């Protein structure tokens, strides 16, 4: 499948769902590889472990990708371990999809590194992705006036 065909399948596929290959990465912990499939998959020298997860791709709002989520079971895998080890350097990459012919096609446009993580009693890990908020930050973060900087105002 070409990139355009994958994009159309993901965007306009209706009930059609492609199994995603994802990588969870932390620089000190390493990488975990998962596929939303009923059997393991070999791709680019890595074994993607079959796991139950629900990946919601981000939506384009105002020309910017926003939101998206990943809900993955932590039963029989180390997904919770990489979260516990994480110190805000955790990323989730969507590496590819398995098309209807069973071929793996790489995806380059979904990489997440900002969000919040929650776990629940049913051993599910949910990551709500957010965008980088640095462009909305003001610098310097404080406004100096006569009240908070009396000696130099």
């Amino acid at each position: 499948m070409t990139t355009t065909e994958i994009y159309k399948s993901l965007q306009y596929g209706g009930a059609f769902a492609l199994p995603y290959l994802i990588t969870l990465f932390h620089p000190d912990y390493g990488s975990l590889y998962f596929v939303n499939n009923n059997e393991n998959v070999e791709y680019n020298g890595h074994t993607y472990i079959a796991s139950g997860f629900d990946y919601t791709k981000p939506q384009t709002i105002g020309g910017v990708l926003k939101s998206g989520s990943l809900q993955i079971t932590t039963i029989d895998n180390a997904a919770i371990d990489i979260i516990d080890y994480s110190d805000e350097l955790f990323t989730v990459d969507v590496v590819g999809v398995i098309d209807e012919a069973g071929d793996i096609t790489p995806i380059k446009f979904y990489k997440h590194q900002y969000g919040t993580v929650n776990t629940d009693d049913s051993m599910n890990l949910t990551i709500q992705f957010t965008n980088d908020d640095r462009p909305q930050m003001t610098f310097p973060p404080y406004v100096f006036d006569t009240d908070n900087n009396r000696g130099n105002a």
Side-chain angles (χ1 to χ4, degrees), residues 14-31:
F16 179 69
L18 298 175
Y20 288 98
L21 283 75
I22 62 170
T23 302
L24 283 63
F25 173 75
H26 185 277
D28 295 331
Y29 185 90
S31 298

Side-chain angles (χ1 to χ4, degrees), residues 22 36 51-56 68-74 118 120 122-129:
I22 62 170
N36 193 13
S51 181
F53 65 83
D54 182 24
Y55 172 72
T56 304
S69 66
L70 173 66
Q71 182 179 8
I72 185 168
T73 183
T74 59
N118 294 311
D120 61 19
S122 59
M123 301 294 291
N124 285 326
L125 175 76
T126 304
I127 304 171
Q128 291 293 113
F129 302 116

Side-chain angles (χ1 to χ4, degrees), residues 19-150:
Y20 288 98
L21 283 75
I22 62 170
T23 302
L24 283 63
F25 173 75
H26 185 277
D28 295 331
Y29 185 90
S31 298
L32 297 175
Y33 304 95
F34 298 106
V35 61
N36 193 13
N37 200 9
N38 56 0
E39 58 187 28
N40 295 348
V41 173
E42 292 286 331
Y43 180 68
N44 279 349
H46 301 289
T47 301
Y48 287 81
I49 305 299
S51 181
F53 65 83
D54 182 24
Y55 172 72
T56 304
K57 61 185 174 24
Q59 301 297 317
T60 303
I61 301 171
V64 177
L65 290 176
K66 293 192 178 187
S67 71
S69 66
L70 173 66
Q71 182 179 8
I72 185 168
T73 183
T74 59
I75 297 173
D76 211 19
N77 67 41
I80 195 72
D81 296 337
I82 199 169
I83 297 295
D84 287 341
Y85 197 84
S86 179
D87 57 354
E88 300 180 10
L89 296 174
F90 175 73
T91 62
V92 177
D93 296 329
V94 180
V95 177
V97 293
I98 302 174
D99 62 19
E100 55 272 349
D103 298 325
I104 298 173
T105 306
I107 299 179
K108 299 284 184 192
F109 43 87
Y110 296 131
K111 179 180 177 97
H112 307 285
Q113 59 187 17
Y114 301 102
T116 58
V117 177
N118 294 311
T119 57
D120 61 19
D121 293 337
S122 59
M123 301 294 291
N124 285 326
L125 175 76
T126 304
I127 304 171
Q128 291 293 113
F129 302 116
T130 59
N131 286 0
D132 184 1
D133 64 346
R134 289 180 291 180
Q136 287 81 33
M137 293 181 179
T138 57
F139 185 81
Y142 303 106
V143 175
F144 295 109
D145 59 16
T146 57
D147 289 331
N148 63 10
N149 191 16
R150 293 182 190 273

